[in-house]
Amino acid sequence: QFFLIVAVEAITFYLLYSFIRHRKTTLQSIGINRPRLRHLGYALVGFGIYFPLFFITITAIRVFIPTLDIDQQQQIGFQSVTTRPELLLVFISLVILPPLIEEMLCRGFLFSGLRTKLPVIGAALMTSLIFALPHLQIGSGKPLLWAAFIDTFILSMVLVYLRVRSGSLWPSIGLHAIKNGIAFVVLF
């Protein structure tokens, strides 16, 4: 699983970087600039926005749409991890690589491109929808994973907000890593 994730993330980065170079631009055009200490502050503020929004939304869904199953567990592909070396590989696979590559791809490349054609809110909604759809786990043979869809949609909206507010992807990468890090600690 680890090597598959590394391969997919590396190929994704290579294709993204190749496209950016082909367009005669740089990673700075998608928000990869010099990291600053204030970016960590933005990430922490973002978590302070994300978590209450998610909690309120899930609570409202439990009250107003009780038939929607939001207690399903997301399958992450690391069921039998026990040793420290295995945990390190899982940590890299969940907490380091996805925040870097997904933020460059979604809030960097995709959002930046959509923002040239749509108002900011439209680009944010479209980016968040595209980011959340794969988390439904369509085609897995199991019921749709609405909790993961809702979670990632809300997270993405906050990540876009951080991207716009800070002018950098680092706060989004930071918040994404914090969120995945908390999930890692809870799961493992």
Side-chain angles (χ1 to χ4, degrees):
Q1 186 73 21
F2 170 76
F3 294 110
L4 176 62
I5 289 172
V6 169
V8 168
E9 302 289 2
I11 291 167
T12 302
F13 177 77
Y14 173 76
L15 292 173
L16 177 62
Y17 186 72
S18 296
F19 184 81
I20 288 170
R21 297 267 313 198
H22 177 75
R23 301 284 298 215
K24 297 184 182 3
T25 188
T26 65
L27 289 174
Q28 286 181 327
S29 69
I30 63 167
I32 296 293
N33 49 24
R34 187 172 181 203
R36 306 231 183 257
L37 187 57
R38 71 172 186 252
H39 293 152
L40 178 59
Y42 275 111
L44 293 172
V45 167
F47 186 78
I49 296 168
Y50 154 75
F51 188 74
L53 276 176
F54 174 69
F55 181 76
I56 290 166
T57 303
I58 289 297
T59 302
I61 288 171
R62 286 186 196 279
V63 171
F64 297 110
I65 315 173
T67 57
L68 188 63
D69 184 7
I70 55 172
D71 293 321
Q72 298 165 273
Q73 295 297 313
Q74 185 174 4
Q75 299 299 317
I76 57 170
F78 295 101
Q79 286 79 10
S80 60
V81 175
T82 55
T83 67
R84 286 187 182 184
E86 289 173 333
L87 284 171
L88 177 61
L89 296 180
V90 172
F91 183 84
I92 293 167
S93 298
L94 299 178
V95 181
I96 305 295
L97 294 177
L100 282 169
I101 303 304
E102 289 176 8
E103 291 313 306
M104 282 192 268
L105 185 63
C106 294
R107 264 59 61 186
F109 178 73
L110 179 62
F111 175 72
S112 296
L114 289 172
R115 196 164 81 170
T116 65
K117 305 290 182 195
L118 299 171
V120 171
I121 190 67
L125 289 168
M126 184 70 71
T127 298
S128 298
L129 181 64
I130 291 169
F131 181 66
L133 277 173
H135 292 86
L136 278 171
Q137 296 183 347
I138 297 169
S140 68
K142 298 187 180 189
L144 296 179
L145 199 56
W146 287 107
F149 175 84
I150 294 163
D151 179 26
T152 52
F153 184 85
I154 293 168
L155 178 65
S156 180
M157 290 298 288
V158 175
L159 295 170
V160 167
Y161 171 77
L162 292 176
R163 166 78 169 94
V164 170
R165 185 82 175 158
S166 69
S168 174
L169 273 181
W170 292 113
S172 299
I173 292 168
L175 173 55
H176 198 150
I178 290 167
K179 198 253 186 216
N180 286 13
I182 291 169
F184 173 83
V185 169
V186 168
L187 292 172
F188 300 101

